[in-house]
Structures are given as C-alpha cells and as structure tokens.
Amino acid sequence: MEFLTLFLVYLGFVLATVALLCICSGRRESVLARSVTGASQVLSFVVPTQLQRVTRRVLHRLFHTRSCLFVVLHIALQAAVYGEYTWEVFVYCWELQFHLLLLLLPYLLLAGNVGCFVLCSRANPGVITKSNHASLVKIYAYDGVLFQKGIVCPTCNMEKPARSKHCSFCSTCVHRFDHHCVWVNNCIGAFNAKYFFLYLFTLTAMAATIAIITAAFLIQVVLLSNMMRGSYIDDRGQEHAVEILFLIQHLFLTFPRIVFMLGFVVLLTLVLGAYWCFSLYLALTNQTSNEWYKSRRYGCSNHLALQPPDRQVVYKNIYSQGVWMNLKEIFKPPTVLERKKK
C-alpha cells in the first residue's frame, strides 16, 4: 500500500512536471522549466530506481504511444457533466419554465460533437505512403526555412513533402501535419483538420451553453428566494447583509454537485475557448501548430531576403493566401490539379 501511494504521488509530480514543461517548451529554456527540471532531478535521488522505471514506462505509454485512455477519459467526463445536467439542472429548469429549445441545445451540440469526434478520430489525416508521395510532394512549395527540399524521413525512408512531419505516436509521416491529439487518438492533418476545428468549436459551445443555463438557473433560484435582501447571523451573533461570498457558500451547500459542475464547465469554456481562438488564428493565417511553434525560433518579416551567414534567418509564411482562401483550405484541402491551375 505504501509503495502504491508513493508511486501515485511520484507519478502525479512527474505528470505535473510534464505539463509545466509543455507550457514552458521552447528552444530557449525558461526559468520555470529549468526549476521544474531541477526539482525532478533532485526527486530522482529520493525515489527508488525501480519506481522511476515504472513511472517512465507509464509516461511513455501515455504520451508517446497511441492509446485509448484519453478517449475513455474524454467520454467519462462528458457522461458525468451531461448526467448531472440531465438529472438535476434540466429537471429544475423545466419546473422553472425555461424554454425547451434552450434546454435541448446542449444535446444538439453533443450530437454534432460526437459526429465530429468520430470523423476526426477515424478519418485519414493525410498519411504519406509510397503510392501518394509523388502527388503530395507537389502540393506545397518548400519555404527553405521550416521545410527544405531533400530531407528524408529516416523511419519512412521517403523525402518529406513541405509542411509534413513524422508523427512518433503513429510512426507515419502526415501531410500538412498540425499535431497529434490524444483526445481523439489520431493525428490532425490536411484531411481531418476541418473535423477537428468543428469538434473543438462544438466542444466549446457545449461547455459554454451548459455553463450559461446552469448559471441562469442559480440566478433564478436566488431571485425567487429573495435572498439578496435578507441577512444572516455569524458565529459571533452579529447580523450581516447577504454578501456574494455567503451566497456562493449557501448555493454550494444547497446544490453542491451543480455548483461544482458549473465551476468545471466555466473553466473548460475558458480553456477550450482560448484554444479554439488560437486554432482559428492558425486557420486564418494558414499555419499549423507545428509551423507556428517552429517559426518562434525565427523573426517574422514580410520579406524573405537572403541573409548573411552570421545573421539569423528571418521566416516568412509563404502559404498564406488571404483570410478567405486560408479558411477555405481547411475545409477543402488543395490537390495537385488545383495547384497547377494557379
């Protein structure tokens, strides 16, 4: 039992370390990243070697191989939220005569989200094979900075087309590679980027809609009870007017699961909303997450001129064709024939 407890504590620390390092990732190591790495090294002297090996295997299984674990976690979280919404929030709101269409909106978004999830996880993201390599290599030009001609993938033993990348999870090269998403257990590439974009949008909309309906229900409860005009007596016997903090505590004691769910979906809305806005920015500028991350090593310029050897290379995004065409490329990936017409 003690070994299991120690293992879970150590695994939790390492997972937190991985998360922080992902946030702080970059070619120039930040102070926080160095601090986390140092703390991990210090902890390695205390934790038994066998425990470290087990932890490394678990982390490798989670973050470096294809696994359905995060898909199961994703489904479990959705089931928990919708279970609470259905059995408590929906019933209470129906009694308070909320509009039926508003109450059914989260379920409509859930249906769309499930469809996008299935398409995103099952669709071919753009796996490069020997049969389609010749056509895919002609679609995008090499920019000479992020993507250079003649680079051969040592695993696939093929020349990498521009904007492609080898995915270590799937052990394949992917056309217009964005990233590997553990939540859908698939790469996000040229041919399923539209599904991921819609999946992320519907997921954000689901969380936001449930948060709005739940908040509206709690506000309605407060207004109907006329609680804001009341007062309460503290532990010292003194009377006080109802404040926001007291109101939140009272609602939490009365509807603990609903308030907890509200906090979770609000946080989820903020995180997913920020990520969707970032994905929208990438779509409008015709960039992938992989390209955006790699381009941070270089400056940004509207002109890509020949630079002296002792100067840093300046990166220019040559794939952007305007907002409308960039967005269209997400939903209709270009083919060789379309490129030849231009």
Side-chain angles (χ1 to χ4, degrees):
M1 190 67 182
E2 292 180 359
F3 178 81
L4 179 60
T5 304
L6 182 60
F7 171 72
L8 292 175
V9 172
Y10 179 61
L11 181 61
F13 173 81
V14 176
L15 287 172
T17 301
V18 171
L20 286 172
L21 287 176
C22 289
I23 295 172
C24 305
S25 61
R27 292 297 179 181
R28 295 182 180 178
E29 209 176 16
S30 66
V31 176
L32 181 57
R34 288 196 298 269
S35 301
V36 171
T37 304
S40 180
Q41 291 174 349
V42 171
L43 192 61
S44 65
F45 291 107
V46 182
V47 178
T49 306
Q50 184 180 0
L51 182 57
Q52 294 182 40
R53 289 201 205 98
V54 174
T55 306
R56 279 195 291 267
R57 284 197 217 104
V58 171
L59 291 176
H60 183 271
R61 178 66 179 170
L62 289 176
F63 297 106
H64 296 283
T65 57
R66 293 194 69 174
S67 172
C68 294
L69 177 63
F70 286 96
V71 175
V72 174
L73 179 60
H74 168 264
I75 295 173
L77 288 174
Q78 277 194 342
V81 170
Y82 269 86
E84 182 62 27
Y85 173 79
T86 302
W87 297 114
E88 294 210 39
V89 177
F90 185 93
V91 174
Y92 287 138
C93 289
W94 179 254
E95 293 176 356
L96 293 174
Q97 298 182 341
F98 277 58
H99 199 286
L100 180 60
L101 183 60
L102 176 64
L103 297 179
L104 292 178
L105 184 57
Y107 300 104
L108 298 176
L109 290 170
L110 176 62
N113 180 258
V114 170
C116 293
F117 170 79
V118 172
L119 290 171
C120 188
S121 59
R122 303 296 296 176
N124 180 0
V127 175
I128 301 172
T129 62
K130 292 183 179 179
S131 60
N132 64 12
H133 177 268
S135 59
L136 293 179
V137 80
K138 298 176 182 177
I139 293 180
Y140 293 112
Y142 294 91
D143 61 8
V145 181
L146 300 184
F147 307 102
Q148 300 183 15
K149 190 175 178 60
I151 303 298
V152 177
C153 175
T155 304
C156 301
N157 197 25
M158 290 185 295
E159 181 183 2
K160 290 183 178 181
R163 311 192 77 181
S164 68
K165 187 180 184 297
H166 183 84
C167 175
S168 59
F169 288 84
C170 305
S171 192
T172 56
C173 285
V174 178
H175 175 54
R176 198 183 184 276
F177 179 87
D178 190 277
H179 70 288
H180 182 93
C181 180
V182 295
W183 298 104
V184 300
N185 197 27
N186 198 8
C187 287
I188 308 303
F191 301 141
N192 67 345
K194 54 181 175 291
Y195 303 133
F196 180 76
F197 187 78
L198 294 174
Y199 161 77
L200 195 60
F201 173 75
T202 52
L203 197 62
T204 306
M206 283 163 49
T209 304
I210 292 177
I212 291 171
I213 295 173
T214 305
F217 158 68
L218 293 176
I219 291 172
Q220 188 76 354
V221 168
V222 171
L223 293 177
L224 290 175
S225 64
N226 207 20
M227 194 180 303
M228 292 299 295
R229 296 183 180 179
S231 60
Y232 69 96
I233 299 176
D234 61 12
D235 298 336
R236 299 177 181 177
Q238 297 179 347
E239 186 176 359
H240 300 276
V242 173
E243 301 170 346
I244 296 297
L245 183 60
F246 175 82
L247 187 62
I248 294 174
Q249 291 175 346
H250 175 75
L251 289 174
F252 186 78
L253 292 174
T254 309
F255 309 102
R257 292 195 302 271
I258 294 179
V259 174
F260 180 80
M261 184 194 72
L262 176 60
F264 175 73
V265 292
V266 167
L267 178 62
L268 203 60
T269 301
L270 296 175
V271 174
L272 291 174
Y275 186 41
W276 183 80
C277 289
F278 175 66
S279 298
L280 179 62
Y281 161 75
L282 294 179
L284 296 177
T285 56
N286 205 330
Q287 297 182 81
T288 64
S289 299
N290 177 53
E291 292 165 3
W292 179 86
Y293 171 73
K294 290 170 70 174
S295 67
R296 297 307 94 189
R297 288 176 284 173
Y298 308 101
C300 295
S301 174
N302 293 325
H303 305 283
L304 183 59
L306 293 176
Q307 303 261 341
D310 58 338
R311 285 196 173 185
Q312 185 181 15
V313 178
V314 177
Y315 168 71
K316 176 183 181 293
N317 181 14
I318 67 172
Y319 306 112
S320 180
Q321 303 174 27
V323 171
W324 171 247
M325 292 302 296
N326 292 341
L327 192 60
K328 181 182 177 182
E329 189 168 313
I330 294 293
F331 293 92
K332 188 182 178 183
T335 60
V336 179
L337 294 176
E338 291 174 347
R339 287 296 178 187
K340 284 183 177 180
K341 291 178 181 179
K342 294 182 179 180

